[in-house]
């Protein structure tokens, strides 16, 4: 499973918020090819605010990505359950200027 910004466990989510604090980056239209014990793989869109001239006035842009939830570990809230601890995105057709083509995020908690 993966834990969302509201500490709720999710399996094969259709969308996932990356930027929990400000909502300026998230995943939509997620389609899963595999949801396994070690890794979950799929594809979707990374919707990112360009924050120009600032985040409040910015525009959201969508970028196709390959998605992988990785590195499962016990969930501190419920150690009997395992949750993915990292999210890897590989941009397949354009990307935000501030991000590399291949980026990994450590997930909380």
């Amino acid at each position: 499973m993966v834990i969302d910004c509201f500490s709720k466990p999710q399996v094969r989510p259709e969308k996932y918020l990356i930027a929990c604090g400000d909502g300026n980056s998230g995943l939509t239209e997620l389609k899963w090819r595999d949801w396994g014990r070690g890794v979950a793989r799929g594809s979707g869109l990374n919707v990112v605010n360009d924050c120009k001239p600032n985040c409040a006035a910015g525009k959201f842009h969508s970028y196709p990505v390959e998605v992988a939830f990785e590195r499962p570990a016990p969930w501190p809230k419920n150690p009997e359950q395992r949750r993915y601890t990292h999210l890897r995105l590989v941009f397949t057709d354009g990307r935000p200027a501030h991000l590399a083509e291949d980026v990994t995020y450590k997930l909380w908690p």
Side-chain angles (χ1 to χ4, degrees), residues 5-6 35-36 39 54 58 62 66-67 72 76-77 84 90-91 94-95 98 102-103 106-107 109:
C5 291
F6 307 102
W35 192 274
V39 66
N54 57 59
S62 297
E66 290 295 317
V67 178
K77 187 174 180 178
Y84 296 111
V90 177
F91 291 90
R95 62 181 168 82
H98 67 283
D102 187 332
V103 62
K106 185 174 182 184
L107 302 176

Side-chain angles (χ1 to χ4, degrees), residues 11-24:
V11 175
R12 297 181 186 262
E14 293 179 12
K15 59 184 178 176
Y16 185 82
L17 186 59
I18 297 171
C20 293
D22 59 17
N24 284 321

Side-chain angles (χ1 to χ4, degrees), residues 8-57:
K8 294 190 189 288
Q10 303 288 323
V11 175
R12 297 181 186 262
E14 293 179 12
K15 59 184 178 176
Y16 185 82
L17 186 59
I18 297 171
C20 293
D22 59 17
N24 284 321
S25 180
L27 299 171
T28 63
E29 299 182 29
L30 291 171
K31 306 277 189 255
W32 299 101
R33 290 186 301 280
D34 179 42
W35 192 274
R37 291 181 51 97
V39 66
R41 296 185 197 283
S43 60
L45 297 174
N46 184 199
V47 182
V48 182
N49 188 344
D50 64 17
C51 291
K52 293 179 183 177
N54 57 59
C55 293

